[in-house]
């Protein structure tokens, strides 16, 4: 383990053994809403309400580091505590062989999704919590129940599931044949033709929703969102996935094109 105190963060470079210590897991579980997952690293931002938790973590970190290198940790701890407002970056010192983690998805209906892991994995759960926290109704160390009753929640879920690599874990999502049809039952008969039959204001609102933009967004904002989402939902990205997933991505890609074309004309 190496700890470097930089001007803008505390950098901890370590192996996977220390990442799985109980005090490290507890610290990350408390900060699930303030974490950013990077390639082979996690960035934890400061939370005013968790100052005590952060201090306890730094104490344990200093003790662990001192014991490993056989020196007194008090001086080093005082130095780290001076960085109380800076983010903490925890980085793997080497890339491990990818370890596969199975995550099961089940839709009770169009409003509720159950996410379960076959075996406990605090890193994958922490990642999912960091992405979906405001929509999580309840959860354990191997499961989460997520409220996806609005389109923003569904979009957030889709973005979370697009990331397949967390540190050295490779996530494999599994779901039954009814998952997509239940989750997107609202879109079963949704098409450009249907939108044209509705009044103009209602149609425009739907188009903005598809593009994940507020009603009345500028042309620049619409274009930026359109480009970002078409990259995310391009069917080629899931060509080898479950046929239902490919069908959903194709349909979403078409909706994005239709919505952007319509708003580019009427805006």
């Amino acid at each position: 383990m190496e700890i470097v105190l930089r001007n803008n963060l505390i950098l901890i470079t370590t192996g996977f053994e220390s990442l799985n210590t109980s005090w490290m897991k507890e610290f990350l579980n408390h900060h699930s809403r303030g974490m950013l997952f990077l390639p082979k690293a996690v960035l934890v931002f400061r939370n005013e309400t968790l100052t005590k938790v952060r201090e306890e973590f730094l104490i344990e970190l200093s003790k662990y580091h001192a014991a490993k290198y056989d020196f007194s940790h008090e001086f080093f701890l005082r130095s780290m505590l001076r960085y109380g407002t800076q983010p903490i970056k925890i980085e793997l010192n080497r890339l491990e062989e990818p370890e596969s983690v199975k995550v099961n998805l089940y839709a009770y209906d169009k409003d509720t999704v159950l996410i379960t892991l076959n075996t406990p994995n605090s890193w994958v759960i922490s990642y999912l919590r960091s992405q979906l926290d405001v929509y999580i109704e309840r959860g354990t160390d191997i499961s989460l129940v997520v409220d996806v009753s609005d389109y923003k929640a569904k979009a957030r879920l889709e973005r979370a599931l697009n990331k397949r690599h967390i540190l050295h874990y490779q996530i494999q999502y599994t779901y039954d044949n009814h998952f997509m049809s239940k989750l997107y039952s609202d879109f079963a008969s949704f098409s450009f033709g249907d939108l044209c039959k509705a009044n103009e204001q209602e149609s425009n609102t739907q188009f903005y929703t598809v593009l994940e933009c507020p009603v009345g967004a500028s042309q620049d904002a619409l274009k930026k969102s359109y480009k970002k989402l078409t990259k995310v939902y391009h069917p080629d990205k899931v060509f080898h996935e479950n046929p239902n997933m490919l069908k959903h991505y194709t349909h979403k890609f078409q909706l994005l094109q239709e919505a952007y074309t319509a708003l580019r004309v009427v805006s």
Side-chain angles (χ1 to χ4, degrees):
M1 174 185 285
E2 292 183 3
I3 302 175
V4 179
L5 304 180
R6 296 183 175 175
N7 291 333
N8 58 344
L9 59 78
I10 298 174
L11 174 62
I12 304 167
T13 305
T14 186
F16 218 76
E17 179 182 350
S18 56
L19 285 179
N20 283 315
T21 57
S22 59
W23 48 271
M24 181 77 79
K25 289 181 180 179
E26 184 178 358
F27 172 69
L28 295 170
N29 286 338
H30 276 98
H31 289 79
S32 60
R33 294 186 68 173
M35 294 168 60
L36 177 63
F37 281 80
L38 305 169
K40 74 168 189 175
V42 175
L43 189 62
V44 184
F45 296 98
R46 181 175 178 244
N47 186 323
E48 291 283 355
T49 65
L50 296 172
T51 302
K52 186 65 176 175
V53 173
R54 179 189 174 101
E55 184 176 327
E56 291 173 352
F57 167 73
L58 292 178
I59 291 172
E60 291 296 330
L61 176 65
S62 181
K63 288 179 179 178
Y64 182 88
H65 191 244
K68 201 171 185 67
Y69 293 99
D70 193 25
F71 65 84
S72 176
H73 82 96
E74 283 80 4
F75 175 78
F76 190 63
L77 174 61
R78 285 196 297 271
S79 299
M80 284 199 296
L81 292 176
R82 293 194 189 102
Y83 286 70
T85 62
Q86 302 302 333
I88 297 174
K89 184 178 182 182
I90 305 169
E91 185 177 67
L92 284 175
N93 55 14
R94 66 182 184 279
L95 284 176
E96 305 280 346
E97 282 295 315
E99 181 180 336
S100 179
V101 177
K102 287 190 177 181
V103 177
N104 310 301
L105 307 173
Y106 177 77
Y108 290 111
D109 50 42
K110 64 183 178 63
D111 296 330
T112 311
V113 168
L114 172 66
I115 303 175
T116 59
L117 280 65
N118 288 356
T119 57
N121 187 301
S122 60
W123 289 97
V124 174
I125 282 289
S126 291
Y127 164 70
L128 292 169
R129 284 186 178 277
S130 72
Q131 300 299 302
L132 304 169
D133 190 76
V134 294
Y135 301 109
I136 294 173
E137 293 184 341
R138 58 187 181 277
T140 68
D141 60 343
I142 61 169
S143 68
L144 299 171
V145 176
V146 185
D147 177 1
V148 290
S149 54
D150 63 51
Y151 298 139
K152 286 185 178 179
K154 284 183 171 66
R156 178 69 69 85
L157 176 65
E158 289 179 1
R159 284 198 294 271
L161 301 184
N162 275 330
K163 192 177 184 72
R164 302 298 181 94
H165 299 277
I166 306 299
L167 296 174
H168 83 293
Y169 293 116
Q170 183 172 359
I171 306 176
Q172 294 182 344
Y173 293 106
T174 63
Y175 45 87
D176 61 28
N177 292 331
H178 303 293
F179 177 75
M180 302 302 288
S181 59
K182 283 184 180 178
L183 191 60
Y184 296 98
S185 59
D186 283 349
F187 289 102
S189 58
F190 188 71
S191 69
F192 181 64
D194 293 333
L195 290 174
C196 290
K197 294 175 185 176
N199 62 68
E200 184 176 343
Q201 182 178 2
E202 192 172 310
S203 296
N204 289 347
T205 301
Q206 292 279 15
F207 287 135
Y208 283 112
T209 299
V210 169
L211 288 170
E212 298 181 19
C213 286
V215 175
S218 68
Q219 285 289 299
D220 286 343
L222 291 171
K223 185 177 181 179
K224 183 178 180 180
S225 183
Y226 169 72
K227 285 186 174 181
K228 180 186 74 173
L229 292 171
T230 49
K231 287 181 181 179
V232 171
Y233 292 106
H234 198 288
D236 288 349
K237 294 178 71 71
V238 292
F239 184 76
H240 298 293
E241 298 286 344
N242 184 292
N244 287 329
M245 180 67 83
L246 177 60
K247 182 179 179 181
H248 166 62
Y249 269 57
T250 302
H251 185 55
K252 184 71 176 275
F253 188 77
Q254 291 171 343
L255 286 175
L256 288 166
Q257 292 177 313
E258 293 166 355
Y260 181 63
T261 300
L263 290 178
R264 188 176 52 182
V265 172
V266 301
S267 296

